[in-house]
Amino acid sequence: MIMAKAVSTLSHVFFLLFFLFAKIINGSESNEEVGVYELKRGDFSVKLTNYGAIVISVILPDKNGKLDDVVLGYDSVKEYKNDTTHFGAIVGRVANRIGGAEFTLNGTKYKLVANDGNNTLHGGPKGFGDVIWTVKSYSKDSHITFHYDSFDGEEGFPGNVSVSATYMLIDANKLALKMEAKALNKATPVNLAQHTYWNLGGHTSGDIFSHNLQLFGSHITPVNNQLIPTGEILSVKGTAYDFLEPRPIGSRFKELPNGYDINYVLDAASPFHLRKVAVVQESVSGRKLELWTSAPGVQFYTSNMLHDEKGKGGFIYKEYSGLCLETQGFPDSVNHPNFPSQIVNPVETYKHIMVYRFTAN
């Protein structure tokens, strides 16, 4: 109980400072204030900001009731504004990579802003994770809805798009996210993803090699040396990518030159049901994360590009300090007709649902 109160007090002080800093750096780029918002039920709490619709923290008890923050992040909005990690953000208009930073749609070639060599990553240098969203609705014990209006030509993408993201607490231990986007006047690709880095032992607990992972994807979309899909869809059977049965993330890590950063083709769900994506468990804390989605794929990423990043409380995050499970459409789908389409036509609505369930035993 004393430990829980101490964590709660420190968290409260930290986020008051966070909020004050946010207001100072808000500047002239938007009339919207940047704020910090908490969703809380019992010992389960989630803090978010409308800058990038970012998940700042998720505080959970372990099997002994000890509270820890299990997501990687920063101490101030300024650091989120300047980061290259996409910690906790909703990324888009099109998450993941678009090869050559271009695509053709309905006979028109669209040249995007490249920010990953010659390619576009997570919507470009100023994607949805780098803008201020409007808070449309908020109730501390249930939900928060963020809204963003993306303009025609933003980062090179066609058409005006109205976007919303609602984070919801369900029961005592579930966090749901519903993302929607409506194309208002032109056909456009839309692929939103939630980019939280998880470490179920606590964000300061080191690497994630000992986390046990079961991932319900029997195929992957292999990539070239620029991490752009080749267009193939290959079985994971017999490879280091096979997590169909639970095993430690680090158990076959040496077989990969740069860690995991690959899109899995999720196995089909029952009609009208969400797909089960993954189960992750950390043995020391006993914490378990189960994830479901409506999306066809998930990017499994082991923070391979994280290099001595100064995070919360001055803690230094090194390579492999967190894992991402970014449910999504397939990367570079706009350039691969055999992949599920990401194109949203005028007055159509893109919908993407995620549900996280947390337990500890």
Side-chain angles (χ1 to χ4, degrees), residues 209-275:
F209 293 150
S210 64
H211 284 56
N212 272 334
L213 171 66
Q214 184 175 23
L215 202 161
F216 299 96
S218 55
H219 291 77
I220 56 170
T221 53
V223 295
N224 63 21
N225 61 5
Q226 296 183 54
L227 298 178
I228 303 298
T230 63
E232 300 172 283
I233 296 176
L234 299 181
S235 170
V236 300
K237 188 175 181 180
T239 75
Y241 294 104
D242 187 348
F243 285 95
L244 291 169
E245 295 297 326
R247 62 180 175 86
I249 289 172
S251 59
R252 299 184 68 174
F253 215 81
K254 291 181 180 179
E255 298 177 41
L256 304 172
N258 300 303
Y260 292 95
D261 192 3
I262 196 75
N263 174 66
Y264 282 77
V265 179
L266 293 172
D267 296 335
S270 301
F272 312 111
H273 286 77
L274 299 180
R275 292 178 172 91

Side-chain angles (χ1 to χ4, degrees), residues 5 83 103 123 205 261 267 301 327 331:
K5 286 183 177 179
D83 90 307
F103 65 94
S205 65
D261 192 3
D267 296 335
Y301 173 55
T327 64

Side-chain angles (χ1 to χ4, degrees), residues 302-318:
T302 48
S303 55
N304 319 317
M305 301 176 196
L306 203 57
H307 300 294
D308 295 330
E309 190 77 19
K310 185 178 179 181
K312 300 172 188 174
F315 187 80
I316 304 300
Y317 302 129
K318 297 184 179 296

